[in-house]
Amino acid sequence: MSVPLSVAVTLGLLFFLSAGLNEQVAEGCTCLQRHPQRVFCESDIVIRAKVIGNVASTLPNLIAYNIKVITTYKPSIKKDIRVIYSTKICGAHLENGEYLLSGNIVDGVMIFGLCDLVWRWDQLSSVQKGNLSMYQRGCVCEITSCTGASCLTKKLQRKCLIGVKKSLSLDYEDALQAVCLPRSDGSCKWQK
C-alpha cells in the first residue's frame, strides 16, 4: 500500500502537534513524569500487544512494527490493528515481546512515542495490570502534582494529588499502584 506524501506529512505534523496538546513536554528525548492513568485518559488508544517484528514503513520518518493485539483497553474498537508506528527520532523502540502501549490515532493509523505508555507487559505488577480496567472510569478526575502547602488543600473537587505523602496526596511510587476514581459526592480519591 502506497501512502501519498501529503498524507505522510500530515501524519507527521499531527503527531508532533498532538504531543504538545497533551502536555507532553519533551526536552531532548525525555518526557515529564505523568501518572499512567493520566496518559491512558489522554490517549486515543491503549492496547496490550505482542510485537512480532519490524516491517517496512510506508510513512517517512516513522518506524513500523508488526503486532498482534491481545487486549484493547481504550477504545473498545473492533478494527484489527496489525501495524503501529513510532517516530525515528525520540520515538520508542520495541523488541519482540508483549507490551502495554498507548498512542494517538492519526488518519486511521496508531502512532506512539516516548511520552506514551510503552511498558513491557512482564514488568507491570499485578496491581497495575488490574488498574487498567478501572482507568477509564477515572478519566473524569484530574491527576496533578503538588508541592508543599498545595498538597494540604482541602478543596480538591475532581483532583487526586501526587506529591509529598500527606493525607490527601500520594508519592509517585505509591500512586503507580493506585487509581484515581470519582466518589458519590463528586470528588475524586486515590484508591489502592
Side-chain angles (χ1 to χ4, degrees):
M1 175 177 93
S2 176
V3 178
L5 182 59
S6 62
V7 171
V9 170
T10 301
L11 282 172
L13 288 172
L14 286 173
F15 174 76
F16 289 111
L17 287 174
S18 70
L21 293 174
N22 284 330
E23 297 178 35
Q24 297 173 341
V25 177
E27 295 178 4
C29 286
T30 60
C31 302
L32 290 175
Q33 190 176 48
R34 297 184 303 155
H35 189 273
Q37 180 177 336
R38 184 171 172 197
V39 178
F40 179 102
C41 294
E42 292 173 354
S43 299
D44 293 335
I45 185 168
V46 181
I47 58 174
R48 174 183 173 193
K50 181 174 184 175
V51 175
I52 299 166
N54 288 35
V55 293
S57 179
T58 57
L59 303 172
N61 300 317
L62 296 175
I63 301 168
Y65 295 95
N66 189 15
I67 65 162
K68 179 179 185 334
V69 175
I70 298 168
T71 307
T72 302
Y73 295 99
K74 181 187 178 186
S76 54
I77 58 171
K78 299 298 179 199
K79 181 182 175 189
D80 189 24
I81 298 173
R82 296 181 188 193
V83 178
I84 58 176
Y85 296 88
S86 181
T87 59
K88 287 184 180 177
I89 300 173
C90 293
H93 299 283
L94 306 178
E95 303 292 327
N96 289 358
E98 288 186 24
Y99 289 85
L100 175 66
L101 300 166
S102 70
N104 292 304
I105 303 294
V106 180
D107 289 340
V109 175
M110 179 180 172
I111 298 177
F112 67 97
L114 195 60
C115 297
D116 292 305
L117 296 174
V118 183
W119 291 353
R120 289 197 67 92
W121 186 254
D122 60 3
Q123 293 178 353
L124 292 172
S125 71
S126 58
V127 171
Q128 289 172 313
K129 291 174 183 177
N131 286 349
L132 290 168
S133 62
M134 295 186 283
Y135 280 168
Q136 184 69 45
R137 196 166 60 113
C139 287
V140 297
C141 300
E142 180 185 347
I143 298 173
T144 188
S145 298
C146 67
T147 56
S150 69
C151 292
L152 302 175
T153 181
K154 296 286 183 197
K155 190 164 181 137
L156 297 178
Q157 289 298 15
R158 292 198 170 269
K159 289 185 181 180
C160 288
L161 301 176
I162 297 175
V164 179
K165 195 169 184 177
K166 300 284 184 195
S167 62
L168 297 173
S169 69
L170 293 177
D171 65 31
Y172 189 75
E173 291 305 313
D174 286 342
L176 285 176
Q177 304 299 321
V179 182
C180 179
L181 294 174
R183 297 168 43 166
S184 59
D185 67 0
S187 66
C188 291
K189 183 177 181 182
W190 285 115
Q191 300 201 6
K192 289 188 167 193

